[in-house]
Amino acid sequence: MRAPLARDFERFARALPCDFPHYVRDTYRIDLGARYLGAAIPHPIGKGSGQLSLNEKQLEEDAAAGLAFAVLKTVIAEDARGAQAMAAWAIHETRMKVERRRASNGRDGWTVTWKGRGWDRSFEEYLALVRVGRDLTRAGTLLCVPSVKYHLPRLGEPFREEEYRYTTGRLLEIWGQSPLPLEKDFSPTLAGDALAEDKAQILRWLREVPQHIRAAGRVRLALKLMNARFDDDFQLEMLRTAAAGADALVVFNRLFDDKLGVAYGGWDLSERNLRVLGRLTPGASPGLPELCGTGNIGTGRMILAYACRGCSAVQLHTCFQLPLSEYPATAGSRTQRALHALVFHPDDGLIAGLLELEAQGRLQRRGGELHFLDLADAHRHR
């Protein structure tokens, strides 16, 4: 299939098919169908929360490009009076800087640097964005998932229940249908904060935050876990602790550079994430919820690396912000150009990687088709 794949890669550089998962299924007999928060999605590639999902235009462009899902910019929880315990995170974003970052092994990768943290406009404006996302979701064009940073108390302090009830309740009201897909963001900047210096404190959040969110109404809850400043064993303990209360886990947010005071990605991030996930075997980690991978995903092969460790979808951010010269496609939005390379690249794309796994005997056809989800499901159930 390499010759037709190379031809498709070349011709789709000018325009990606509107429904490329359907084309892939017809042409290559590959079902790219994936899953996030229990929802069936046409392929595994989504956009993580951040500056690329904070207005209607961005969401509509991503829907038109064929993105599977988008997590909205993270809003800071508040109570009915507008008070925010985590107000320090509701600060205006500086301009994002896309730059090279050299990993500890000397390999150059990409990272995006900015100093902002969360949604810095009014909650009513965020609810208006949620309405847009709700309508796109109901239309079946783009699954949109609100994201919230809720109050995180110190050990011995109570949770601010009113913030949990009010923020979640308003989101439920706007969404209108039950359950509400929702992501709770344990952001990478939290890892650099004094709040996250105590292991017991972090584990308490992971155990108790889901209970407080669910008390407000019916949600499908994903916890986006940070990379804590501790060893791999604690990262696994975090994951297993969070598993009890979540419908999905996003694994794992960016690393934190103490010296520069910023979160970062690149090869150090994917190396750690995949190493930790590689230690998750069904026998050692029973009862794990759905996993969604994130971190240094710039090729279809990296998507498959996460899938082979149990991830049924992935979230990207940096890949959608590279200089235009880094994309093989010559036209379209950055989302379209990224999807073109991620799926159709004849060496590193998703199709090429799946066909290679078939040739190696690591993936078999069912009903004449290869299924992306078989990778994640095989890892979870073997």
Side-chain angles (χ1 to χ4, degrees):
M1 299 297 287
R2 182 175 175 81
L5 183 55
R7 287 195 298 270
D8 281 345
F9 182 63
E10 183 177 353
R11 69 191 181 109
F12 294 155
R14 298 182 291 276
L16 194 66
C18 293
D19 186 0
F20 69 84
H22 182 76
Y23 176 86
V24 170
R25 192 166 191 172
D26 275 356
T27 305
Y28 298 96
R29 308 307 297 161
I30 294 175
D31 180 358
L32 294 179
R35 188 173 56 243
Y36 185 53
L37 270 178
I41 49 179
H43 60 85
I45 305 165
K47 181 173 285 186
S49 174
Q51 288 296 90
L52 304 181
S53 51
L54 52 64
N55 62 53
E56 180 176 354
K57 182 173 182 288
Q58 290 170 324
L59 297 181
E60 290 177 343
E61 286 182 349
D62 284 343
L67 193 68
F69 68 96
V71 183
L72 306 185
K73 177 72 175 172
T74 301
V75 72
I76 310 305
E78 61 182 54
D79 61 23
R81 300 178 304 278
Q84 298 173 313
M86 307 292 280
W89 268 262
I91 59 176
H92 184 69
E93 303 278 359
T94 55
R95 181 178 176 82
M96 292 185 292
K97 185 178 181 182
V98 182
E99 55 191 347
R100 290 284 192 178
R101 183 172 179 113
R102 179 157 292 180
S104 54
N105 64 5
R107 193 171 185 181
D108 283 333
W110 290 98
T111 188
V112 177
T113 304
W114 71 95
K115 292 294 183 72
R117 291 175 170 184
W119 183 265
D120 62 346
R121 287 172 261 163
S122 73
F123 189 35
E124 292 302 320
E125 289 175 283
Y126 191 79
L127 294 175
L129 180 65
V130 172
R131 286 188 189 94
V132 173
R134 173 201 66 192
D135 292 344
L136 290 169
T137 300
R138 289 182 183 174
T141 54
L142 180 70
L143 171 65
C144 295
V145 180
S147 172
V148 184
K149 186 184 295 296
Y150 293 92
H151 172 234
L152 297 174
R154 296 187 181 278
L155 274 176
E157 292 179 353
F159 284 83
R160 296 201 182 183
E161 297 279 2
E162 189 180 349
E163 286 191 10
Y164 280 81
R165 285 197 305 269
Y166 179 74
T167 300
T168 311
R170 290 298 307 278
L171 291 170
L172 283 160
E173 175 188 328
I174 295 300
W175 199 258
Q177 292 182 344
S178 184
L180 164 74
L182 183 65
E183 193 170 286
K184 161 66 183 97
D185 183 15
F186 288 95
S187 73
T189 48
L190 177 64
D193 192 274
L195 272 174
E197 291 177 349
D198 189 304
K199 291 183 179 180
Q201 194 158 263
I202 294 172
L203 296 177
R204 180 200 177 196
W205 298 336
L206 298 177
R207 279 193 307 269
E208 299 183 24
V209 161
Q211 303 167 19
H212 295 286
I213 295 173
R214 293 186 189 281
R218 188 163 171 247
V219 301
R220 292 282 300 175
L221 180 63
L223 299 182
K224 188 171 189 178
L225 302 182
M226 62 182 175
N227 265 295
R229 291 177 294 166
F230 301 107
D231 60 17
D232 289 0
D233 287 340
F234 184 70
Q235 201 67 21
L236 284 168
E237 187 176 2
M238 284 174 54
L239 195 152
R240 290 167 180 148
T241 301
D247 298 298
L249 299 174
V250 184
V251 287
F252 298 99
N253 225 321
R254 296 186 301 160
L255 301 168
F256 193 80
D257 188 321
D258 288 302
K259 186 178 297 184
L260 297 177
V262 296
Y264 67 95
W267 291 102
D268 283 336
L269 174 58
S270 56
E271 193 276 334
R272 188 191 197 204
N273 286 358
L274 294 174
R275 184 178 70 239
V276 171
L277 291 173
R279 292 176 58 184
L280 282 176
T281 62
S285 309
L288 275 181
E290 173 188 299
L291 299 179
C292 182
T294 190
N296 192 39
I297 298 171
T299 65
R301 288 188 181 276
M302 186 61 83
I303 295 172
L304 294 175
Y306 279 95
C308 288
R309 289 162 178 81
C311 296
S312 57
V314 292
Q315 295 183 14
L316 290 67
H317 199 266
T318 301
C319 186
F320 296 123
Q321 301 178 74
L322 301 179
L324 289 179
S325 59
E326 294 295 316
Y327 301 107
T330 54
S333 66
R334 276 184 169 79
T335 300
Q336 289 172 311
R337 294 178 191 223
L339 289 170
H340 165 254
L342 290 165
V343 176
F344 289 99
H345 194 286
D347 297 315
D348 293 326
L350 199 50
I351 297 170
L354 288 165
L355 292 172
E356 184 175 302
L357 289 172
E358 180 188 23
Q360 294 169 351
R362 296 170 60 191
L363 184 63
Q364 285 77 41
R365 292 181 183 265
R366 291 187 290 109
E369 293 182 338
L370 296 177
H371 296 260
F372 169 81
L373 272 179
D374 282 355
L375 293 172
D377 291 344
H379 176 84
R380 293 170 61 79
H381 299 141
R382 72 170 183 262

